[in-house]
């Protein structure tokens, strides 16, 4: 909201002929239904916005990828309490060939490469500038967004697939561990995939998280 408010303020006070005659009109769709939703909605209603419309919705698994596929740009505000888990929503966006502006935190660089497959920001001011540079109704902004999408597609095409990453990184480390949570005997009896599913590992873990889980002395 702070970034969108800055964008609205800049438009309102802009002396630019382009901004005055053809300002960027943006529809922001926010998905989710967390406990802070009502607080956000109340703040949204109190925030003056120009040429910006915000909609909140909860989508079915069938409609969510359709929304991502029709969007021009994704924004991710994820920052976990541990700072070590990667946001699944970015993987959803990348799977839809949707560039992302992502909030910076400890391990986000493992997923979002700044100015390669998206942008990383540390403040509302930076996010506002990124939105202007990609969504303004100018040939330069349109070209920048198209170029960012092309880099994203190329980056995803060269990224190792899930099984390749598993065999090269997580699998060998898990097989070597002697922790009680990953019993080698249990792995041999039930199979590695079944064991991991049984103990609930179904989230997107960063390499830093895996290393910390399997380092010597980890309980």
């Amino acid at each position: 909201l702070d970034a969108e408010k800055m964008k609205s303020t800049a438009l309102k006070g802009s002396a630019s002929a382009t901004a005055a005659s053809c300002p960027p009109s943006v529809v922001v769709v926010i998905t989710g239904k967390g406990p802070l939703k009502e607080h956000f909605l109340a703040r949204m209603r109190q925030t003056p916005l120009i040429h910006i419309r915000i909609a909140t919705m909860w989508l079915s698994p069938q409609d969510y990828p359709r929304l991502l596929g029709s969007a021009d740009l994704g924004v991710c505000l994820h920052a976990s309490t541990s700072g070590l888990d990667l946001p699944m929503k970015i993987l959803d966006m990348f799977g839809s060939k949707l560039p992302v502006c992502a909030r910076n935190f400890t391990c986000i660089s493992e997923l979002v490469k700044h100015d390669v497959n998206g942008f990383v920001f540390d403040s509302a001011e930076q996010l506002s500038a990124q939105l202007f540079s990609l969504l303004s109704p100018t040939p330069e902004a349109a070209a920048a967004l198209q170029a960012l999408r092309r880099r994203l597609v190329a980056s995803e095409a060269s990224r190792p697939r899930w099984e390749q990453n598993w065999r090269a990184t997580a699998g060998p480390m898990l097989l070597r561990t002697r922790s009680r949570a990953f019993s080698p005997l249990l792995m041999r009896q039930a199979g590695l995939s079944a064991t991991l599913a049984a103990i609930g590992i179904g989230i997107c873990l960063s390499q830093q998280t895996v290393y910390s889980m399997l380092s010597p002395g980890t309980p």
Side-chain angles (χ1 to χ4, degrees):
L1 276 177
D2 288 338
E4 294 296 343
K5 184 177 180 181
M6 289 174 188
K7 189 158 77 69
S8 289
T9 301
L11 287 172
K12 187 175 181 180
S14 175
S16 165
T18 300
S21 61
C22 189
S25 296
V26 179
V27 176
V28 180
V29 179
I30 302 175
T31 62
K33 53 179 181 180
L36 294 178
K37 181 177 179 179
E38 290 305 319
H39 171 77
F40 173 82
L41 291 176
R43 185 182 173 193
M44 183 179 69
R45 286 189 287 267
Q46 297 170 2
T47 303
L49 299 173
I50 300 175
H51 297 289
I52 297 168
R53 294 293 181 267
I54 298 179
T56 61
M57 60 184 66
W58 179 255
L59 297 170
S60 68
Q62 293 76 27
D63 288 335
Y64 183 54
R66 294 190 181 104
L67 173 66
L68 297 183
S70 63
D72 294 306
L73 183 67
V75 175
C76 177
L77 303 178
H78 174 95
S80 69
T81 52
S82 69
L84 294 176
D85 64 293
L86 295 172
M88 288 295 295
K89 61 177 67 68
I90 291 184
L91 296 179
D92 295 335
M93 293 174 184
F94 283 176
S96 301
K97 302 179 182 179
L98 181 63
V100 177
C101 292
R103 180 179 177 182
N104 193 19
F105 68 98
T106 309
C107 61
I108 193 65
S109 61
E110 292 185 20
L111 191 57
V112 180
K113 309 297 183 184
H114 186 72
D115 206 23
V116 175
N117 54 8
F119 286 153
V120 176
F121 62 88
D122 290 293
S123 65
E125 291 85 356
Q126 289 182 352
L127 175 57
S128 180
Q130 291 169 5
L131 295 178
F132 259 109
S133 69
L134 296 172
L135 300 179
S136 293
T138 64
E140 294 79 10
L145 183 59
Q146 290 176 1
L148 185 60
R149 190 184 294 270
R150 286 195 296 269
R151 293 196 296 272
L152 165 62
V153 172
S155 174
E156 286 298 292
S158 63
R159 185 191 295 272
R161 299 297 91 187
W162 188 93
E163 185 174 355
Q164 292 174 298
N165 258 333
W166 177 264
R167 292 181 180 278
T169 306
M173 288 191 295
L174 292 175
L175 288 171
R176 286 197 302 267
T177 185
R178 292 295 183 266
S179 71
R180 288 170 294 178
F182 301 100
S183 165
L185 177 60
L186 181 58
M187 287 182 182
R188 287 196 298 270
Q189 290 176 339
L192 180 60
S193 297
T195 301
L196 295 175
I199 62 176
I201 294 187
I203 58 175
C204 181
L205 298 177
S206 68
Q207 292 181 13
Q208 294 183 38
T209 304
V210 175
Y211 292 148
S212 64
M213 287 169 57
L214 302 179
S215 61
T218 300

